[in-house]
Each structure stands twice: as structure tokens, then as C-alpha cells.
């Protein structure tokens, strides 16, 4: 996909994380991507990352547009979506349905 589309998607991620819910949403994203509800004093190992998945790739073969996370490697995987509303809806759904993951 073109670099302009990647940049646009990255901007959607930043805009989403700073919307009306602010820091509580950032904490939810942190929990979703890493399983941790705060940054460890010594930091993360490996460092958190975002991987953008293109339609047509093996991971997107099911046509699912929901974010995925691999908490073992602190990686948030996002499908490239050009519509902010579609992106926000999928992120809100993912974050709203993962509360309590890994907690007893």
C-alpha cells in the first residue's frame, strides 16, 4: 500500500488514542497490546510495536477488520482502514470486549 495510506492510518491511531476518553483509552490500548495496565519501571522487553496488516495478507484472509494483539511480544496488529469511523468502531469493539484478559 502507498506510504500516504500508511501515514493516514498512523494518524488515525494517534487521533483515536487522544479522543474524548484521553488517558483512560491509552491505558486500555496498553492493556490490550501488552497485558500490562501500567508501564513497568524497567520498561517493556521487547518494546511495544504496531504492525499494520494489509488486506489480502495471510492474517486478513478471514476479512476480519478487528485489531489483534500478541501480548507475548507486545505487538498491536491493525488492519489498514482508511475510514476513521470504521477504525474507531473496530478499536472500540476490541477494547470493550477484552477487559479482564489475563486477570483473575
Amino acid at each position: 500500500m502507498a506510504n500516504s495510506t500508511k501515514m493516514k492510518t498512523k494518524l488515525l491511531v494517534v487521533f483515536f488514542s487522544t479522543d474524548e476518553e484521553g488517558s483512560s483509552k491509552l491505558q486500555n490500548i496498553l492493556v490490550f497490546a501488552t497485558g500490562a495496565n501500567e508501564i513497568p519501571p524497567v520498561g517493556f522487553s521487547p518494546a511495544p510495536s504496531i504492525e499494520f496488516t494489509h488486506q489480502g495478507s495471510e492474517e486478513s484472509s478471514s476479512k476480519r477488520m478487528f485489531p489483534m494483539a500478541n501480548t507475548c511480544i507486545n505487538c498491536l496488529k491493525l488492519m489498514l482502514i482508511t475510514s476513521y469511523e470504521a477504525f474507531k468502531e473496530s478499536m472500540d469493539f476490541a477494547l470493550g470486549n477484552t477487559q479482564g484478559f489475563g486477570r483473575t
Side-chain angles (χ1 to χ4, degrees):
M1 197 157 277
N3 284 338
S4 63
T5 302
K6 288 181 185 178
M7 180 57 75
K8 188 178 192 182
T9 303
K10 289 177 185 179
L11 291 174
L12 289 177
V13 173
V14 171
F15 184 72
F16 173 79
S17 65
T18 58
D19 74 355
E20 66 274 354
E21 296 177 40
S23 64
S24 67
K25 185 161 282 188
L26 285 174
Q27 184 176 20
N28 290 342
I29 293 170
L30 180 70
V31 170
F32 181 76
T34 67
N37 59 3
E38 59 186 43
I39 299 172
V42 295
F44 287 102
S45 181
S49 62
I50 299 175
E51 183 179 302
F52 295 98
T53 304
H54 301 273
Q55 286 185 342
S57 70
E58 186 176 313
E59 287 183 353
S60 70
S61 61
S62 64
K63 303 290 184 195
R64 297 173 69 199
M65 308 229 4
F66 295 108
M68 296 179 285
N70 184 332
T71 57
C72 295
I73 60 170
N74 303 320
C75 183
L76 176 62
K77 297 179 180 185
L78 301 174
M79 177 71 70
L80 285 173
I81 301 173
T82 57
S83 161
Y84 174 72
E85 288 305 316
F87 171 76
K88 184 177 185 323
E89 185 178 309
S90 69
M91 280 296 290
D92 285 341
F93 181 83
L95 296 177
N97 287 285
T98 57
Q99 297 303 311
F101 170 75
R103 294 184 173 53
T104 56

